[in-house]
Amino acid sequence: MKKLIAGNWKMNGSLATNEALMLALAQGLSTRPDCDIAVCVPAIYLAQVQALKSAHLGLSVIELGAQDVSAQAAGAYTGEVSAAMLKDMGCRYVTVGHSERRQYHFETDALVADKAKAALAVGLTPIVCIGETLAEREAGRTEEVVKRQLAAVIHTNGHCISEIVLAYEPVWAIGTGKTASPEEAQAVHAVLRAQLKAATDQSARVKILYGGSMNAANAALLLAQPDIDGGLLGGAALKAPDFLTIIAAAHV
């Protein structure tokens, strides 16, 4: 199974900086990489990035992704963006349940599961983010928390669970410069892998990414772990040299 390196731009970018970043990636991807690649960009820039992908051959290997999706299919939901709209804009992926959405927008496990279901219904691949806070880790509740978060998605999506991508992002490591050690990350990924195996006989199809300050310096060790199938990057995805270094480290 190919690894997946996905960049989450968060609320960053401009027309000028987006173009510069994508062109730098195009130059660095002159040969086909050994992994799958995606960039999850702010919704307002989806059209720009899709146009850049169409105009530059080197960007054809990068899949387009969004950062959030409505659980509703259509209707009077001002400010929301539906899964069908994202599909219409050329997206393949969409992140759901990122800790920043859970924290700042009070998204529940049930809502995250419904958003994943909405994405799957139109053929998008949801990148379902789960992870524990520092307080939960220090209380010894990491396994309990991540299993609860994943269980909600399994319950709502049933046999379709094999079509998701899962991203373990310990909240205490996101944007802090702190990173779970390769052994700590692998231990949680192994728990998630076992939970998926219990839910579907197609669990081997599910990529489990690690997020939480993966960078050019630590990516190779993290990606060498048996149950880490790629990375969901934040700050490193905004720097072409770092993004390209991590892509190069993501061997099959």
Short mmCIF file of all heavy atoms in Angstrom, two decimals, residues 136-178:
data_model
loop_
_atom_site.label_atom_id
_atom_site.label_comp_id
_atom_site.label_asym_id
_atom_site.label_seq_id
_atom_site.Cartn_x
_atom_site.Cartn_y
_atom_site.Cartn_z
N GLU A 136 -5.66 14.32 28.69
CA GLU A 136 -6.11 12.93 28.52
C GLU A 136 -4.94 11.97 28.46
O GLU A 136 -5.00 10.87 29.02
CB GLU A 136 -6.96 12.84 27.25
CG GLU A 136 -8.32 13.53 27.39
CD GLU A 136 -9.02 13.78 26.08
OE1 GLU A 136 -8.35 13.79 25.01
OE2 GLU A 136 -10.25 13.98 26.10
N ARG A 137 -3.85 12.38 27.81
CA ARG A 137 -2.67 11.51 27.76
C ARG A 137 -2.09 11.33 29.16
O ARG A 137 -1.74 10.21 29.56
CB ARG A 137 -1.62 12.09 26.81
CG ARG A 137 -0.26 11.38 26.90
CD ARG A 137 0.66 11.77 25.76
NE ARG A 137 0.34 11.02 24.56
CZ ARG A 137 0.88 9.84 24.23
NH1 ARG A 137 1.75 9.27 25.04
NH2 ARG A 137 0.54 9.24 23.13
N GLU A 138 -1.96 12.43 29.89
CA GLU A 138 -1.36 12.35 31.22
C GLU A 138 -2.22 11.56 32.20
O GLU A 138 -1.72 11.01 33.18
CB GLU A 138 -1.09 13.76 31.76
CG GLU A 138 0.03 14.47 31.00
CD GLU A 138 0.30 15.87 31.51
OE1 GLU A 138 -0.59 16.45 32.17
OE2 GLU A 138 1.41 16.39 31.23
N ALA A 139 -3.53 11.49 31.90
CA ALA A 139 -4.44 10.70 32.74
C ALA A 139 -4.49 9.23 32.30
O ALA A 139 -5.26 8.44 32.86
CB ALA A 139 -5.84 11.30 32.68
N GLY A 140 -3.69 8.88 31.30
CA GLY A 140 -3.66 7.50 30.83
C GLY A 140 -4.86 7.10 30.00
O GLY A 140 -5.20 5.92 29.91
N ARG A 141 -5.51 8.09 29.36
CA ARG A 141 -6.76 7.84 28.65
C ARG A 141 -6.61 7.86 27.13
O ARG A 141 -7.61 7.86 26.41
CB ARG A 141 -7.81 8.87 29.08
CG ARG A 141 -8.18 8.82 30.55
CD ARG A 141 -9.24 9.88 30.88
NE ARG A 141 -10.41 9.71 30.03
CZ ARG A 141 -11.12 10.73 29.53
NH1 ARG A 141 -10.77 11.98 29.78
NH2 ARG A 141 -12.18 10.49 28.77
N THR A 142 -5.39 7.84 26.62
CA THR A 142 -5.19 7.95 25.17
C THR A 142 -5.97 6.89 24.41
O THR A 142 -6.74 7.20 23.49
CB THR A 142 -3.69 7.83 24.83
OG1 THR A 142 -3.00 8.95 25.38
CG2 THR A 142 -3.48 7.81 23.32
N GLU A 143 -5.81 5.63 24.78
CA GLU A 143 -6.48 4.55 24.06
C GLU A 143 -7.99 4.68 24.14
O GLU A 143 -8.70 4.51 23.14
CB GLU A 143 -6.02 3.20 24.62
CG GLU A 143 -6.60 2.01 23.86
CD GLU A 143 -6.00 0.68 24.30
OE1 GLU A 143 -4.84 0.67 24.76
OE2 GLU A 143 -6.70 -0.34 24.18
N GLU A 144 -8.50 5.00 25.31
CA GLU A 144 -9.94 5.17 25.49
C GLU A 144 -10.49 6.26 24.56
O GLU A 144 -11.53 6.07 23.91
CB GLU A 144 -10.23 5.55 26.95
CG GLU A 144 -11.66 5.99 27.23
CD GLU A 144 -11.78 6.79 28.52
OE1 GLU A 144 -10.90 6.65 29.41
OE2 GLU A 144 -12.75 7.56 28.65
N VAL A 145 -9.79 7.38 24.48
CA VAL A 145 -10.27 8.52 23.70
C VAL A 145 -10.26 8.22 22.21
O VAL A 145 -11.26 8.44 21.51
CB VAL A 145 -9.43 9.78 24.00
CG1 VAL A 145 -9.76 10.91 23.02
CG2 VAL A 145 -9.66 10.24 25.44
N VAL A 146 -9.14 7.72 21.70
CA VAL A 146 -9.07 7.50 20.26
C VAL A 146 -10.00 6.37 19.82
O VAL A 146 -10.59 6.43 18.72
CB VAL A 146 -7.62 7.24 19.78
CG1 VAL A 146 -6.75 8.45 20.08
CG2 VAL A 146 -7.03 5.98 20.38
N LYS A 147 -10.18 5.36 20.66
CA LYS A 147 -11.10 4.28 20.30
C LYS A 147 -12.55 4.78 20.30
O LYS A 147 -13.35 4.37 19.46
CB LYS A 147 -10.93 3.10 21.27
CG LYS A 147 -9.63 2.34 21.06
CD LYS A 147 -9.44 1.21 22.05
CE LYS A 147 -10.36 0.04 21.76
NZ LYS A 147 -10.05 -1.11 22.65
N ARG A 148 -12.88 5.67 21.22
CA ARG A 148 -14.23 6.25 21.24
C ARG A 148 -14.48 7.07 19.99
O ARG A 148 -15.54 6.97 19.36
CB ARG A 148 -14.39 7.13 22.48
CG ARG A 148 -15.79 7.71 22.66
CD ARG A 148 -15.78 8.94 23.55
NE ARG A 148 -15.24 10.10 22.85
CZ ARG A 148 -14.38 10.97 23.39
NH1 ARG A 148 -13.93 10.82 24.62
NH2 ARG A 148 -13.96 12.01 22.67
N GLN A 149 -13.50 7.88 19.61
CA GLN A 149 -13.67 8.73 18.43
C GLN A 149 -13.81 7.88 17.16
O GLN A 149 -14.66 8.18 16.31
CB GLN A 149 -12.47 9.68 18.31
CG GLN A 149 -12.42 10.72 19.42
CD GLN A 149 -11.12 11.51 19.44
OE1 GLN A 149 -10.08 11.04 18.97
NE2 GLN A 149 -11.16 12.71 19.98
N LEU A 150 -13.01 6.84 17.03
CA LEU A 150 -13.11 5.97 15.86
C LEU A 150 -14.40 5.16 15.88
O LEU A 150 -15.02 4.94 14.84
CB LEU A 150 -11.89 5.05 15.79
CG LEU A 150 -11.88 4.03 14.64
CD1 LEU A 150 -12.06 4.70 13.29
CD2 LEU A 150 -10.59 3.21 14.68
N ALA A 151 -14.82 4.72 17.06
CA ALA A 151 -16.04 3.91 17.17
C ALA A 151 -17.25 4.66 16.62
O ALA A 151 -18.14 4.06 15.99
CB ALA A 151 -16.28 3.51 18.62
N ALA A 152 -17.31 5.96 16.84
CA ALA A 152 -18.44 6.75 16.33
C ALA A 152 -18.48 6.72 14.81
O ALA A 152 -19.56 6.60 14.20
CB ALA A 152 -18.34 8.19 16.83
N VAL A 153 -17.32 6.80 14.19
CA VAL A 153 -17.25 6.78 12.72
C VAL A 153 -17.62 5.40 12.19
O VAL A 153 -18.34 5.26 11.20
CB VAL A 153 -15.85 7.20 12.25
CG1 VAL A 153 -15.77 7.21 10.73
CG2 VAL A 153 -15.50 8.58 12.79
N ILE A 154 -17.15 4.36 12.87
CA ILE A 154 -17.49 2.99 12.46
C ILE A 154 -18.99 2.75 12.59
O ILE A 154 -19.63 2.19 11.70
CB ILE A 154 -16.70 1.97 13.32
CG1 ILE A 154 -15.20 2.06 13.00
CG2 ILE A 154 -17.22 0.56 13.10
CD1 ILE A 154 -14.32 1.24 13.94
N HIS A 155 -19.57 3.20 13.70
CA HIS A 155 -21.00 2.99 13.95
C HIS A 155 -21.85 3.64 12.86
O HIS A 155 -22.83 3.05 12.39
CB HIS A 155 -21.37 3.56 15.32
CG HIS A 155 -22.84 3.51 15.62
ND1 HIS A 155 -23.49 2.34 15.96
CD2 HIS A 155 -23.80 4.48 15.61
CE1 HIS A 155 -24.78 2.60 16.14
NE2 HIS A 155 -24.99 3.88 15.94
N THR A 156 -21.49 4.84 12.45
CA THR A 156 -22.30 5.58 11.48
C THR A 156 -22.08 5.10 10.05
O THR A 156 -23.00 5.15 9.23
CB THR A 156 -21.98 7.09 11.57
OG1 THR A 156 -22.33 7.54 12.88
CG2 THR A 156 -22.73 7.90 10.53
N ASN A 157 -20.89 4.62 9.75
CA ASN A 157 -20.54 4.33 8.36
C ASN A 157 -20.45 2.85 8.02
O ASN A 157 -20.32 2.50 6.84
CB ASN A 157 -19.22 5.03 8.02
CG ASN A 157 -19.39 6.54 7.98
OD1 ASN A 157 -19.87 7.10 7.01
ND2 ASN A 157 -19.02 7.21 9.07
N GLY A 158 -20.53 1.98 9.01
CA GLY A 158 -20.62 0.55 8.75
C GLY A 158 -19.54 0.03 7.83
O GLY A 158 -18.36 0.32 8.00
N HIS A 159 -19.96 -0.75 6.82
CA HIS A 159 -18.99 -1.39 5.93
C HIS A 159 -18.20 -0.38 5.11
O HIS A 159 -17.12 -0.71 4.60
CB HIS A 159 -19.70 -2.37 4.99
CG HIS A 159 -20.59 -1.71 3.98
ND1 HIS A 159 -21.87 -1.31 4.27
CD2 HIS A 159 -20.37 -1.36 2.68
CE1 HIS A 159 -22.41 -0.75 3.20
NE2 HIS A 159 -21.53 -0.76 2.23
N CYS A 160 -18.70 0.85 4.99
CA CYS A 160 -17.98 1.88 4.23
C CYS A 160 -16.72 2.37 4.95
O CYS A 160 -15.95 3.15 4.38
CB CYS A 160 -18.89 3.07 3.94
SG CYS A 160 -20.25 2.71 2.82
N ILE A 161 -16.52 1.92 6.18
CA ILE A 161 -15.38 2.38 6.96
C ILE A 161 -14.06 2.08 6.24
O ILE A 161 -13.06 2.79 6.42
CB ILE A 161 -15.39 1.73 8.37
CG1 ILE A 161 -14.45 2.48 9.32
CG2 ILE A 161 -15.06 0.27 8.32
CD1 ILE A 161 -14.90 3.88 9.66
N SER A 162 -14.05 1.06 5.39
CA SER A 162 -12.81 0.71 4.69
C SER A 162 -12.43 1.75 3.64
O SER A 162 -11.33 1.70 3.09
CB SER A 162 -12.94 -0.66 4.02
OG SER A 162 -13.97 -0.65 3.04
N GLU A 163 -13.33 2.72 3.37
CA GLU A 163 -13.06 3.74 2.36
C GLU A 163 -12.50 5.03 2.95
O GLU A 163 -12.24 5.98 2.21
CB GLU A 163 -14.36 4.06 1.59
CG GLU A 163 -15.00 2.86 0.92
CD GLU A 163 -14.06 2.19 -0.07
OE1 GLU A 163 -13.37 2.91 -0.82
OE2 GLU A 163 -14.01 0.94 -0.07
N ILE A 164 -12.32 5.08 4.25
CA ILE A 164 -11.81 6.31 4.86
C ILE A 164 -10.29 6.29 4.94
O ILE A 164 -9.64 5.25 4.73
CB ILE A 164 -12.38 6.53 6.29
CG1 ILE A 164 -11.73 5.55 7.29
CG2 ILE A 164 -13.89 6.42 6.30
CD1 ILE A 164 -11.98 5.91 8.75
N VAL A 165 -9.71 7.44 5.23
CA VAL A 165 -8.33 7.55 5.70
C VAL A 165 -8.43 8.03 7.14
O VAL A 165 -9.27 8.89 7.46
CB VAL A 165 -7.52 8.55 4.86
CG1 VAL A 165 -6.17 8.86 5.51
CG2 VAL A 165 -7.31 8.00 3.45
N LEU A 166 -7.62 7.47 8.01
CA LEU A 166 -7.63 7.84 9.42
C LEU A 166 -6.34 8.61 9.72
O LEU A 166 -5.28 8.27 9.19
CB LEU A 166 -7.70 6.58 10.28
CG LEU A 166 -8.05 6.72 11.76
CD1 LEU A 166 -9.40 7.39 11.94
CD2 LEU A 166 -8.04 5.34 12.42
N ALA A 167 -6.44 9.65 10.51
CA ALA A 167 -5.26 10.43 10.89
C ALA A 167 -5.22 10.56 12.41
O ALA A 167 -6.12 11.14 13.01
CB ALA A 167 -5.27 11.80 10.24
N TYR A 168 -4.17 9.99 13.01
CA TYR A 168 -3.97 10.15 14.44
C TYR A 168 -3.13 11.39 14.68
O TYR A 168 -1.97 11.47 14.25
CB TYR A 168 -3.27 8.92 15.04
CG TYR A 168 -2.79 9.16 16.46
CD1 TYR A 168 -3.67 9.56 17.46
CD2 TYR A 168 -1.45 8.99 16.80
CE1 TYR A 168 -3.23 9.80 18.75
CE2 TYR A 168 -1.00 9.21 18.09
CZ TYR A 168 -1.89 9.61 19.06
OH TYR A 168 -1.45 9.86 20.35
N GLU A 169 -3.73 12.38 15.34
CA GLU A 169 -3.05 13.63 15.64
C GLU A 169 -3.18 13.93 17.13
O GLU A 169 -4.19 14.48 17.56
CB GLU A 169 -3.65 14.78 14.83
CG GLU A 169 -3.41 14.70 13.34
CD GLU A 169 -3.63 16.05 12.67
OE1 GLU A 169 -4.72 16.61 12.81
OE2 GLU A 169 -2.69 16.55 12.04
N PRO A 170 -2.19 13.55 17.92
CA PRO A 170 -2.25 13.93 19.34
C PRO A 170 -2.34 15.44 19.45
O PRO A 170 -1.48 16.16 18.93
CB PRO A 170 -0.95 13.38 19.91
CG PRO A 170 -0.06 13.12 18.74
CD PRO A 170 -0.94 12.86 17.57
N VAL A 171 -3.38 15.91 20.10
CA VAL A 171 -3.67 17.35 20.13
C VAL A 171 -2.50 18.13 20.72
O VAL A 171 -2.17 19.23 20.26
CB VAL A 171 -4.97 17.62 20.92
CG1 VAL A 171 -5.26 19.12 20.98
CG2 VAL A 171 -6.14 16.88 20.28
N TRP A 172 -1.83 17.55 21.69
CA TRP A 172 -0.72 18.23 22.36
C TRP A 172 0.49 18.41 21.45
O TRP A 172 1.41 19.16 21.78
CB TRP A 172 -0.32 17.47 23.63
CG TRP A 172 -0.11 16.00 23.41
CD1 TRP A 172 -1.05 15.01 23.50
CD2 TRP A 172 1.11 15.35 23.05
NE1 TRP A 172 -0.50 13.79 23.22
CE2 TRP A 172 0.82 13.97 22.94
CE3 TRP A 172 2.41 15.80 22.81
CZ2 TRP A 172 1.79 13.03 22.60
CZ3 TRP A 172 3.38 14.87 22.46
CH2 TRP A 172 3.07 13.50 22.36
N ALA A 173 0.49 17.74 20.30
CA ALA A 173 1.63 17.82 19.39
C ALA A 173 1.35 18.67 18.16
O ALA A 173 2.25 18.87 17.34
CB ALA A 173 2.06 16.42 18.95
N ILE A 174 0.12 19.16 18.01
CA ILE A 174 -0.23 19.89 16.79
C ILE A 174 0.26 21.33 16.89
O ILE A 174 -0.19 22.10 17.74
CB ILE A 174 -1.75 19.86 16.55
CG1 ILE A 174 -2.21 18.42 16.32
CG2 ILE A 174 -2.12 20.72 15.35
CD1 ILE A 174 -3.71 18.28 16.23
N GLY A 175 1.19 21.68 16.02
CA GLY A 175 1.69 23.05 15.96
C GLY A 175 2.53 23.48 17.15
O GLY A 175 2.87 24.65 17.27
N THR A 176 2.88 22.53 18.01
CA THR A 176 3.63 22.88 19.21
C THR A 176 5.12 22.60 19.08
O THR A 176 5.91 23.04 19.90
CB THR A 176 3.12 22.07 20.42
OG1 THR A 176 3.36 20.67 20.18
CG2 THR A 176 1.63 22.31 20.64
N GLY A 177 5.48 21.85 18.04
CA GLY A 177 6.86 21.42 17.91
C GLY A 177 7.14 20.14 18.67
O GLY A 177 8.18 19.50 18.48
N LYS A 178 6.21 19.74 19.55
CA LYS A 178 6.34 18.46 20.25
C LYS A 178 5.80 17.36 19.34
O LYS A 178 4.84 17.57 18.61
CB LYS A 178 5.54 18.48 21.55
CG LYS A 178 6.01 19.52 22.56
CD LYS A 178 5.13 19.50 23.80
CE LYS A 178 5.57 20.55 24.80
NZ LYS A 178 4.70 20.58 26.00
#
